[in-house]
């Protein structure tokens, strides 16, 4: 069980809160405010409790990684590169603070572009009820340092900015960083925000004690990235619906012809093992029985319907066919819990989006009939948003890697610090 902000008396306290405002930006403008909006209920609750100050912290992108790539590109083109100017131009968090102020309808004080150290006096000098935003936490190498002692250096400083640490950044809960987990060692008490609480309450029971039957839809390109989640879900699932590029590794493992489809030959034995385990535990593995294929992986490629399990040598599978969707419908109609991670086709290409769109509709229908439905993972979240069905699901996770690791049964550092 995790502790939340509702378990504490916040009146007069200084709150230091980790949020996930790692939002897409273009020319200093927020392009998608989903993560910002998700944190507002916790922010408003805290402010409503009469706190002294609420100091927010988040990362925005990966400054070091992005700068390295930009530098290499500039050097190849024979152009000069100012790393400091690049980072300041692209990764400053002040535009996000300004955007949040508009959403909240009240000022958000930016703590300054000189980093996150030495801000205690500034924070403590603010009027009661002030919202403060620190600079991008990843401007400090200590934030993501592998050595705990290095992370603790920044964490100790951040801890002086609050009497209570609130973690509402589920998207980074799997990261053992200074601002997500290490800080908890240096504050009197750590609790979760409402977003973190909601994520845990929906995702953890899928692994520990789901309402059965449980059906899991697992898609995406590669088996290698989903091995742990497949093995974890097999402990409780009555059916695993496997789609996307990874399905073709399973079909090849069964001896089927897969044409030019994406295959991980080094995962064929893994696929066979998962198929054998499913058989032993009595879980159905639902693979494509027909396909929408093409000669090339291209948005403009001509779709070709293949009404059989096997694909001709000149085609690659890019979506599932109508017979497969009929099988999906039968499986999902029986489920009381559905978890979906990864698309079943290349939904980014309109000609190959039908399968993923129809799966989204089937999951929405199941929700309307009383099933618990959870969408986790960046691509499947992008899909339900694209098809306008996000609000028809029980829960759409805000964390890609975090939701995947939680479904794998792992303990996430950012969650564990909030345990009672």
């Amino acid at each position: 069980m995790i502790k939340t902000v509702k378990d504490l008396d916040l009146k007069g306290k200084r709150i230091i809160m980790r949020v996930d405002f790692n939002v897409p930006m273009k020319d200093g403008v927020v392009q998608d405010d989903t993560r910002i909006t998700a944190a507002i209920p916790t922010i408003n609750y805290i402010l409503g409790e009469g706190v002294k100050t609420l100091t927010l912290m988040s990362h925005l992108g990966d400054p070091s990684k992005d700068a390295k790539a930009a530098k290499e590109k500039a050097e190849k083109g024979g152009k000069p590169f100012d790393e400091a100017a690049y980072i300041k131009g692209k990764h400053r968090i002040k535009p996000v603070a300004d955007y949040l102020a508009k959403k909240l309808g009240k000022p958000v004080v930016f703590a300054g572009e000189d980093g996150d150290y030495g801000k205690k006096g500034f924070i403590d000098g603010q009027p009661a009820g002030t919202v403060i935003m620190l600079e991008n936490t990843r401007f400090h190498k200590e934030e993501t340092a592998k050595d705990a002692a290095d992370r603790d250096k920044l964490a100790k400083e951040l801890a002086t900015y609050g009497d209570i640490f609130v973690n509402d950044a589920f998207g980074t809960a799997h990261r053992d960083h200074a601002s997500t987990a290490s800080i908890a060692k240096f504050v009197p008490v750590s609790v979760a925000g409402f977003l973190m609480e909601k994520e845990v309450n929906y995702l953890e029971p899928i692994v520990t004690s789901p309402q059965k039957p449980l059906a899991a839809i697992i898609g995406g390109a590669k088996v290698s990235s989903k091995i742990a989640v497949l093995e974890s879900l097999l402990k409780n699932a009555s059916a695993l619906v496997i789609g996307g590029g990874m399905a073709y590794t399973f079909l090849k493992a069964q001896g089927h012809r897969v044409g030019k489809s994406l295959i991980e030959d080094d995962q064929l034995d893994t696929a066979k093992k998962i198929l054998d385990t499913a058989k032993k535990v009595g879980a159905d593995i639902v693979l494509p029985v027909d396909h929408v294929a093409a000669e090339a992986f291209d948005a403009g490629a001509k779709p070709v319907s293949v009404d059989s399990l096997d694909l001709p040598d000149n085609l690659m599978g890019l979506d599932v066919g109508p017979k497969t969707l009929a099988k999906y419908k039968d499986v999902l109609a029986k489920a009381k819990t559905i978890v979906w991670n990864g698309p079943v086709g290349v939904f980014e290409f309109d000609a190959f989006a039908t399968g993923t769109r129809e799966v989204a509709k089937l999951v929405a229908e199941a929700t309307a009939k009383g099933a618990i439905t959870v969408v986790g993972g960046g691509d499947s979240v992008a899909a339900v948003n694209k098809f306008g069905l996000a609000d028809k699901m029980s829960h759409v996770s805000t964390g890609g890697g975090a939701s995947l690791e939680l479904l794998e049964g792992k303990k996430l550092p950012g969650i564990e610090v909030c345990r009672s």
Side-chain angles (χ1 to χ4, degrees):
M1 182 177 179
I2 62 172
K3 294 178 291 184
T4 76
V5 288
K6 282 195 171 181
D7 295 320
L8 301 176
D9 178 5
L10 306 181
K11 187 174 179 60
K13 297 292 195 297
R14 298 172 309 138
I15 310 300
I16 177 77
M17 177 174 165
R18 182 55 156 94
V19 290
D20 182 9
F21 288 173
N22 183 32
V23 295
M25 304 285 290
K26 185 176 181 181
D27 300 326
V29 179
V30 174
Q31 301 298 299
D32 183 341
D33 69 356
T34 302
R35 288 176 172 174
I36 296 173
T37 301
I40 287 177
T42 304
I43 292 172
N44 281 336
Y45 176 82
I46 290 171
L47 294 174
E49 291 298 293
V51 297
K52 172 69 171 67
T53 52
L54 170 59
T55 302
L56 305 173
M57 52 184 175
S58 176
H59 73 291
L60 180 61
D62 191 334
S64 297
K65 183 179 178 181
D66 288 355
K68 183 180 178 181
K71 182 179 181 181
E72 290 175 355
K73 184 177 179 181
E75 288 176 346
K76 284 181 181 179
K79 298 178 180 179
F81 182 74
D82 186 333
E83 183 172 338
Y86 173 83
I87 290 175
K88 289 179 181 179
K90 185 175 181 181
H91 296 283
R92 289 294 183 197
I93 212 161
K94 187 176 187 303
V96 179
D98 293 340
Y99 188 93
L100 174 64
K102 293 177 182 177
K103 296 285 285 189
L104 291 175
K106 68 172 295 171
V108 173
V109 178
F110 181 54
E113 296 183 350
D114 55 342
D116 296 336
Y117 284 95
K119 298 297 179 182
K120 185 177 185 300
F122 175 82
I123 292 168
D124 290 350
Q126 299 297 319
T130 299
V131 181
I132 301 137
M133 186 85 212
L134 296 178
E135 181 56 283
N136 189 340
T137 58
R138 289 193 184 175
F139 279 4
H140 302 283
K141 64 181 185 300
E142 300 93 339
E143 165 73 336
T144 59
K146 292 182 179 180
D147 191 302
D150 290 335
R151 294 196 302 273
D152 286 353
K153 181 183 176 184
L154 176 59
K156 285 177 182 178
E157 181 68 21
L158 296 172
T160 66
Y161 304 161
D163 308 306
I164 297 168
F165 170 53
V166 177
N167 195 352
D168 211 25
F170 178 73
T172 56
H174 58 315
R175 305 294 190 191
D176 192 359
H177 290 169
S179 69
T180 62
S182 300
I183 184 176
K185 294 186 284 185
F186 307 106
V187 292
V189 62
S190 301
V191 295
F194 299 138
L195 173 61
M196 182 76 81
E197 179 188 30
K198 184 180 180 184
E199 295 274 11
V200 172
N201 287 347
Y202 270 106
L203 288 163
E204 278 196 345
I206 289 171
V207 178
T208 58
S209 55
Q211 289 189 33
K212 297 182 179 181
L214 164 65
I217 308 162
I218 307 297
K222 296 183 177 181
V223 177
S224 55
S225 64
K226 302 291 175 75
I227 294 170
V229 74
L230 287 167
E231 292 175 340
S232 174
L233 292 173
L234 269 177
K235 296 172 185 175
N236 286 305
S238 59
L240 288 184
V241 174
I242 298 177
M246 62 187 289
Y248 295 98
T249 297
F250 280 88
L251 289 174
K252 185 173 181 178
Q254 290 181 327
H256 295 290
R257 292 168 54 206
V258 294
K260 297 193 295 183
S261 301
L262 177 66
I263 295 296
E264 289 181 281
D265 284 318
D266 62 340
Q267 296 297 325
L268 289 172
D269 287 341
T270 300
K272 290 176 183 178
K273 180 183 175 183
I274 291 170
L275 290 166
D276 289 342
T277 301
K279 189 174 182 180
K280 289 176 184 175
V281 300
D284 291 330
I285 298 284
V286 184
L287 291 164
V289 293
D290 60 346
H291 319 269
V292 180
E295 292 187 358
F297 186 86
D298 189 276
K302 180 181 178 181
V304 179
S305 295
V306 179
D307 189 17
S308 69
L309 263 170
D310 297 291
L311 282 160
D313 293 341
N314 67 318
L315 296 177
M316 62 178 67
L318 298 180
D319 197 8
V320 296
K323 289 182 179 178
T324 303
L325 287 171
K327 290 187 70 176
Y328 289 178
K329 184 175 183 179
D330 289 342
V331 170
L332 298 180
K334 300 171 187 173
K336 289 186 178 179
T337 304
I338 299 171
V339 58
W340 180 15
N341 184 285
V344 299
V346 188
F347 75 96
E348 299 92 340
F349 299 166
D350 289 344
F352 307 99
T354 300
T356 302
R357 182 175 61 248
E358 292 306 309
V359 166
K361 289 180 179 179
L362 290 172
V363 177
E365 289 171 9
T367 312
K369 293 177 181 177
I372 297 169
T373 58
V374 179
V375 181
D379 287 340
S380 39
V381 171
V384 295
N385 284 328
K386 177 179 179 177
F387 302 129
L389 293 169
D391 62 346
K392 304 298 182 184
M393 312 296 168
S394 302
H395 180 61
V396 178
S397 180
T398 58
S403 61
L404 195 61
E405 289 196 17
L406 204 55
L407 290 173
E408 290 170 0
K410 293 181 179 178
K411 292 185 181 300
L412 278 54
I415 294 174
E416 292 307 303
V417 298
C418 302
R419 298 285 185 193
S420 58

